[in-house]
Amino acid sequence: MTSHSETAVDFAAARARLLELIKELAVVRGKVILSSGAEADYYIDLRRITLHHEASKLVGQVMLALADKAGIDFECAGGLTMGADPVGTAVMNAAADSGRAVDAFVVRKAQKSYGMGRQVEGPSVEGRKVLVLEDTSTTGGSALTAVEGVRKAGGNVVAVAVIVDRDTGAKEKIEAETGVPYLFAFGKDELGLS
């Protein structure tokens, strides 16, 4: 059995290594147009992290610890497809590695008009505590769509968590519109971006 201090050291090491990988693999410098339509001098391509053989496991560990440190208790983790898909899976696997049962789910951009007509896919979120995830957020739109979909499916959203916060107002917008906390593992300042 690991002590709390050993777990904290593990978290610190996982967080430090994940930050290194984000800086090395995910920060792309140059003019880009963001999904919001805004122009930026850099792009944070977190799919290069969430789908990376080493970084994915670290994402799960860091995001699980982030929620734990904030006192967020949840049974399901996921968000809007596709940015959140590998994040939810990483959190589910990290939870399993620590002996916890957390289900992952995927929120479609719109409810299906065929089959079972679901917008939230995977194990049911109905009546369960849900952590909505996203890799990064500029306007908060993806997370807000996911929160709405989960709530329509009967889930109790307890927080929204992202890997990188771009400091563009998503935190304030999401907290104001959803009434739940917005957590992030890294701020853009930690990535050397201003």
Side-chain angles (χ1 to χ4, degrees):
M1 179 167 208
T2 53
S3 72
H4 182 67
S5 61
E6 285 178 82
T7 304
V9 170
D10 290 345
F11 167 71
R15 189 180 189 286
R17 178 61 181 148
L18 182 57
L19 180 57
E20 282 176 24
L21 289 168
I22 290 170
K23 287 178 178 179
E24 178 186 329
L25 302 173
V27 177
V28 181
R29 300 202 183 261
K31 294 270 186 224
V32 292
I33 303 297
L34 304 172
S35 62
S36 64
E39 188 177 286
D41 294 328
Y42 61 88
Y43 183 71
I44 305 169
D45 186 355
L46 285 169
R47 286 178 191 89
R48 294 180 181 188
I49 294 301
T50 60
L51 298 170
H52 184 268
H53 66 279
E54 178 186 1
S56 174
K57 185 170 186 154
L58 297 170
V59 165
Q61 293 167 346
V62 168
M63 297 305 284
L64 185 63
L66 176 70
D68 288 349
K69 285 177 77 172
I72 304 298
D73 179 39
F74 64 98
E75 303 164 86
C76 305
L80 191 67
T81 197
M82 100 180 233
D85 298 351
V87 185
T89 301
V91 169
M92 175 183 68
N93 288 329
D97 288 347
S98 65
R100 294 164 60 182
V102 171
D103 289 327
F105 63 89
V106 174
V107 179
R108 295 172 178 275
K109 288 179 172 67
Q111 188 170 344
K112 283 182 7 178
S113 61
Y114 55 91
M116 295 182 66
R118 297 174 70 185
Q119 184 176 8
V120 179
E121 298 289 355
S124 177
V125 297
E126 187 174 356
R128 300 174 79 192
K129 295 177 192 166
V130 175
L131 177 63
V132 169
L133 300 167
E134 187 56 68
D135 53 8
T136 188
S137 192
T138 303
T139 64
S142 294
L144 291 171
T145 299
V147 168
E148 181 183 353
V150 166
R151 286 178 170 165
K152 281 184 187 173
N156 174 24
V157 178
V158 293
V160 171
V162 302
I163 301 169
V164 174
D165 179 57
R166 295 179 55 95
D167 194 24
T168 53
K171 176 182 179 15
E172 295 77 12
K173 182 175 182 177
I174 289 168
E175 287 183 341
E177 291 189 24
T178 66
V180 299
Y182 172 97
L183 313 172
F184 59 93
F186 303 98
K188 74 175 188 173
D189 54 326
E190 291 181 85
L191 306 182
L193 304 168
S194 54

